[in-house]
Amino acid sequence: GSGGGGSPGTLALLLGEGAKRLPQAIIIGVKKGGTRALLEFLRVHPDVRAVGAEPHFFDRNYERGLAWYRDLMPRTLEGQITMEKTPSYFVTKEAPARISSMSKGTKLIVVVRDPVTRAISDYTQTLSKKPDIPTFESLTFKNRTTGLIDTSWSAIQIGIYAKHLENWLLYFPIGQILFVSGERLISDPAGELGRVQDFLGLKRIITDKHFYFNKTKGFPCLKKAEGSSKPHCLGKTKGRTHPDIDQEVVQRLRDFYRPFNMKFYQMTGQDFGWD
């Protein structure tokens, strides 16, 4: 340890003390749900240390081994929580068993959002990278005339939350998974962050004093980002304008997701108000 008086904590970190630890908590999903916002908000907490980039360890890099994974982590002091986020874990078949074999006690966080807007957001992201892709409408259906929805399209597949959750519940008790509402993360960031801090066993340090609502972005932003005195909004890849989607197709998707949403509400004991 660091001897002497004063506050050893900060000094110890400056001296490169503390150790790299495997994460005790992981944001496992979902893509386009609000995971980046949640991580950036959480990093304001002095007892949270997180990896900025998505490690994709339990889905793409597992063969590299736990030592490689641990080395990606920031150094922490006793009592601090190490975290990472990789939203694709939630839909990865092998991820629950792999995380459980690292530690059965890992706390899992899933940021969920209305599956229809999530799908459109997912499509919007892809469109920004590949402007020549087919329309959202044509990708939604296997066959537009029969109205059969193509559940193999990942943008639609990811939103069937109940189905993916079943896989996690084979390895983790439901109480070890926190479900954060992507909608409430925008409308009441401090409220959702309160739930997250409680779940992680952290003091409720992040409160509404930390946020202001940016009208232009339509997003809450931090008055001060982690380690900075400047206000901080999410980058320009966040909060993109969605294309107008045929309302009939949107309605068809709402109807498709409804039973899965109801099942998900039952499983989690939470009504997310998507219908």
Side-chain angles (χ1 to χ4, degrees):
S2 33
S7 141
T10 338
L11 185 58
L13 273 184
L14 287 173
L15 297 172
E17 287 190 35
K20 294 186 175 191
R21 296 180 176 88
L22 290 167
Q24 301 96 318
I26 304 176
I27 298 171
I28 58 171
V30 301
K31 184 183 182 200
K32 310 314 293 174
T35 61
R36 173 56 61 190
L38 177 60
L39 190 67
E40 294 305 308
F41 294 167
L42 260 180
R43 289 170 82 168
V44 169
H45 200 292
D47 291 331
V48 171
R49 302 282 287 128
V51 188
E54 297 175 7
H56 284 281
F57 176 64
F58 296 103
D59 56 350
R60 300 182 202 158
N61 292 302
Y62 195 62
E63 28 351 294
R64 295 179 185 239
L66 282 169
W68 175 86
Y69 183 48
R70 176 194 239 128
D71 198 51
L72 296 175
M73 300 300 147
R75 292 180 183 277
T76 52
L77 298 169
E78 212 54 57
Q80 291 185 317
I81 291 180
T82 303
M83 289 190 74
E84 70 117 317
K85 77 124 178 150
T86 304
S88 48
Y89 291 165
F90 188 63
V91 298
T92 301
K93 205 80 191 119
E94 304 77 21
R98 288 170 173 178
I99 294 176
S100 165
S101 84
M102 170 183 75
S103 166
K104 285 189 172 14
T106 312
K107 291 182 177 182
L108 308 172
I109 301 175
V110 190
V111 189
V112 286
R113 175 189 191 184
D114 182 318
V116 180
T117 45
R118 198 222 65 82
I120 296 168
S121 176
D122 200 332
Y123 173 80
T124 307
Q125 177 175 335
T126 310
L127 188 62
S128 74
K129 296 177 189 166
K130 308 182 191 160
D132 334 333
I133 54 164
T135 64
F136 179 86
E137 289 82 354
S138 63
L139 290 166
T140 296
F141 299 103
K142 280 209 241 292
N143 181 330
R144 181 93 197 238
T145 14
T146 60
L148 268 181
I149 283 165
D150 187 357
T151 55
S152 73
W153 182 29
S154 73
I156 284 166
Q157 176 66 233
I158 292 169
I160 309 173
Y161 303 140
K163 179 183 153 240
H164 304 298
L165 179 55
E166 276 177 339
N167 191 26
W168 288 87
L169 294 180
L170 300 172
Y171 295 88
F172 293 92
I174 191 90
Q176 221 167 295
I177 311 174
L178 181 72
F179 300 92
V180 171
S181 160
E183 286 83 16
R184 279 201 303 268
L185 196 54
I186 293 170
S187 64
D188 178 23
E192 282 301 273
L193 264 290
R195 295 178 60 239
V196 178
Q197 290 170 97
D198 291 352
F199 174 73
L200 294 174
L202 294 165
K203 276 206 209 105
R204 281 202 177 200
I205 287 175
I206 308 166
T207 64
D208 45 19
K209 294 185 185 56
H210 288 86
F211 300 99
Y212 70 95
F213 194 79
N214 182 311
K215 301 238 174 9
T216 322
K217 271 194 105 59
F219 264 66
C221 299
L222 291 165
K223 289 188 184 157
K224 293 184 172 66
E226 181 214 20
S228 155
S229 56
K230 292 190 174 62
H232 173 66
C233 287
L234 295 178
K236 54 181 172 299
T237 65
K238 301 301 177 182
R240 291 190 186 98
T241 310
H242 293 179
D244 278 327
I245 307 297
D246 183 337
Q247 275 315 111
E248 202 184 325
V249 173
V250 171
Q251 196 47 55
R252 214 23 221 92
L253 277 174
R254 296 221 164 275
D255 298 342
F256 165 78
Y257 278 120
R258 191 166 299 108
F260 297 112
N261 290 346
M262 294 306 147
K263 179 84 199 291
F264 184 65
Y265 297 175
Q266 265 176 341
M267 292 171 83
T268 59
Q270 276 173 261
D271 182 334
F272 290 90
W274 297 323
D275 290 291

